[in-house]
Amino acid sequence: MTTIDTSSPEQVLPTPSHTVGPFYGYALPFRGGEEIAPLGHPDTITVHGYVLDGEGRPLPDALVELWGAGPDGTVPRVDGSIRRDPATGGYLGRNGVEFTGWGRIQTDADGHWYARTLRPGARGRSAPYLSVCVFARGLLVHLFTRLYLPGDTAALAADPLLTRVGDRRDTLIAAEDGPGAYRFDIRLQGEGETVFLEYQ
């Protein structure tokens, strides 16, 4: 029989009850949250990646929210993506026709997420980007960042935010990953940590 010395905290492994929440697997994920673009739209792009902790391990229970302008740079003003049946209160999902510009995606067992959306147009002096919000265990406050798409080198070089973050700008720019596909990994801390934004 092995005995464990519990007189010092260093000797005791954390139990599930010691893991810092909150946990987001219940009620927040919804079916079809990754399908932001209208069904069959010819200009649909796929963005995907992993949510990684400080040691580079994927998080299987994180949530990623995306918001983006339409291809013309305007913010969609249509009703939300989580429609309900007025008679039963049941979930109807997206109508598959209108572009709402918003989606919520839960990472899978390998920490991977993906969304199908439309490439956003430029707004103001900023290069085209998607706003990203990350919820994960251990984060008492969710994190905000941006996902810039490659392609317009001049716009990226002149973007006010990208010029301020200096040599960390690559953590905000997705990598091309095939035709119409872009990879964007989100590193929560440690080497290569994604630049996160604070709104006041």
Side-chain angles (χ1 to χ4, degrees), residues 64-129:
V64 176
E65 286 188 356
L66 299 175
W67 299 274
D72 61 357
T74 61
V75 176
R77 303 277 185 219
V78 298
D79 288 341
S81 301
I82 310 176
R83 298 177 309 125
R84 297 228 174 246
D85 184 324
T88 67
Y91 172 71
L92 292 174
R94 300 178 191 271
N95 66 14
V97 176
E98 296 175 304
F99 175 67
T100 62
W102 178 82
R104 181 185 295 144
I105 309 101
Q106 184 171 13
T107 56
D108 64 17
D110 296 321
H112 186 258
W113 64 274
Y114 79 93
R116 290 195 240 324
T117 189
L118 299 179
R119 187 179 184 100
R123 300 187 69 226
R125 295 185 307 135
S126 295
Y129 68 88

Side-chain angles (χ1 to χ4, degrees), residues 26-39:
Y26 175 74
L28 287 178
F30 67 97
R31 187 177 69 254
E34 68 280 355
E35 300 295 342
I36 303 169
L39 295 175

Side-chain angles (χ1 to χ4, degrees), residues 1-198:
M1 180 172 149
T2 304
T3 54
I4 298 174
D5 176 15
T6 59
S7 61
S8 65
E10 300 83 28
Q11 301 296 320
V12 181
L13 296 174
T15 67
S17 65
H18 293 125
T19 304
V20 176
F23 303 99
Y24 294 102
Y26 175 74
L28 287 178
F30 67 97
R31 187 177 69 254
E34 68 280 355
E35 300 295 342
I36 303 169
L39 295 175
H41 195 289
D43 298 325
T44 298
I45 63 169
T46 300
V47 290
H48 74 99
Y50 292 85
V51 177
L52 306 167
D53 68 14
E55 296 180 1
R57 294 179 305 215
L59 295 179
D61 53 2
L63 288 177
V64 176
E65 286 188 356
L66 299 175
W67 299 274
D72 61 357
T74 61
V75 176
R77 303 277 185 219
V78 298
D79 288 341
S81 301
I82 310 176
R83 298 177 309 125
R84 297 228 174 246
D85 184 324
T88 67
Y91 172 71
L92 292 174
R94 300 178 191 271
N95 66 14
V97 176
E98 296 175 304
F99 175 67
T100 62
W102 178 82
R104 181 185 295 144
I105 309 101
Q106 184 171 13
T107 56
D108 64 17
D110 296 321
H112 186 258
W113 64 274
Y114 79 93
R116 290 195 240 324
T117 189
L118 299 179
R119 187 179 184 100
R123 300 187 69 226
R125 295 185 307 135
S126 295
Y129 68 88
L130 296 170
S131 293
V132 180
C133 183
V134 182
F135 302 81
R137 69 177 120 113
L139 295 179
L140 301 181
V141 178
H142 43 279
L143 301 173
F144 295 99
T145 190
R146 285 185 179 179
L147 183 168
Y148 289 89
L149 296 171
D152 189 338
T153 306
L156 291 171
D159 183 88
L161 176 64
L162 290 176
T163 57
R164 292 190 73 188
V165 298
D167 61 354
R168 295 186 59 210
R169 69 193 302 273
D170 289 344
T171 70
L172 298 178
I173 302 173
E176 289 194 53
D177 196 28
Y182 302 91
R183 180 168 174 173
F184 184 73
D185 293 338
I186 302 166
R187 183 82 180 245
L188 298 181
Q189 61 180 334
E191 187 177 347
E193 177 182 328
T194 301
V195 171
F196 295 107
L197 310 174
E198 184 174 318

